[in-house]
Amino acid sequence: MKPAEGSTVIGKSVTIRGELSANEDLYIDGDMEGTITLPDYALTIGPNARVLSNIRAKDVIVFGDVKGDLHATGKVEIRGSAVVKGDIFSKRLSIEENATLRGKVDLGRSAEAGSDVPSVSGKPQQENLLLEHKA
């Protein structure tokens, strides 16, 4: 897996604890614990990454392990090698075969504050989704 051209790369030997924000595309293949905010840019979680973080980005692509909620104003892609434990809030979602997802999915809402969300009795509609790899 190669990072997209022009992305900032955080390699697999790097560990970050704290708050990470950027105004450019980001590729993480190391360990991250904290919060990640890329309001107008894409975040790719590489296959070697272990991320314990709530994430807010335009697009999120996951190849590695993520524990935390994913908020995307665009799309979320969960690739076959990914393990995601957390809720997903996005306009679009793609999940490859063999990916693991444990959490709730809300495709009516994104990271944008005040986005139009279909609701019943004032609460956003949300579906529970549990996908696990078959042994």
Side-chain angles (χ1 to χ4, degrees):
M1 164 71 214
K2 284 187 166 185
E5 189 174 321
S7 293
T8 297
V9 177
I10 297 174
K12 61 183 176 182
S13 66
V14 177
T15 299
I16 297 174
R17 288 188 180 84
E19 189 173 314
L20 178 60
S21 62
N23 289 318
E24 58 189 316
D25 291 344
L26 184 63
Y27 179 94
I28 298 176
D29 210 23
D31 295 346
M32 170 67 195
E33 185 177 328
T35 60
I36 301 172
T37 307
L38 308 172
D40 299 316
Y41 296 91
L43 172 66
T44 302
I45 306 295
N48 299 302
R50 291 181 303 174
V51 175
L52 177 59
S53 176
N54 288 324
I55 297 168
R56 291 187 179 276
K58 178 181 174 189
D59 298 319
V60 180
I61 303 165
V62 183
F63 290 89
D65 293 348
V66 176
K67 192 177 213 180
D69 294 342
L70 308 179
H71 296 259
T73 56
K75 65 181 177 183
V76 173
E77 296 180 25
I78 310 296
R79 299 296 175 91
S81 59
V83 176
V84 176
K85 295 178 182 172
D87 298 340
I88 296 175
F89 302 92
S90 181
K91 292 180 181 176
R92 295 180 299 167
L93 174 64
S94 168
I95 304 172
E96 286 186 355
E97 187 174 348
N98 294 324
T100 300
L101 170 62
R102 182 177 288 268
K104 297 177 184 175
V105 174
D106 185 339
L107 296 180
R109 188 169 64 185
S110 67
E112 295 173 328
S115 63
D116 293 329
V117 179
S119 65
V120 175
S121 65
K123 293 184 179 179
Q125 291 180 349
Q126 191 172 54
E127 292 185 40
N128 292 333
L129 179 63
L130 174 63
L131 301 173
E132 291 187 2
H133 177 68
K134 293 182 180 178

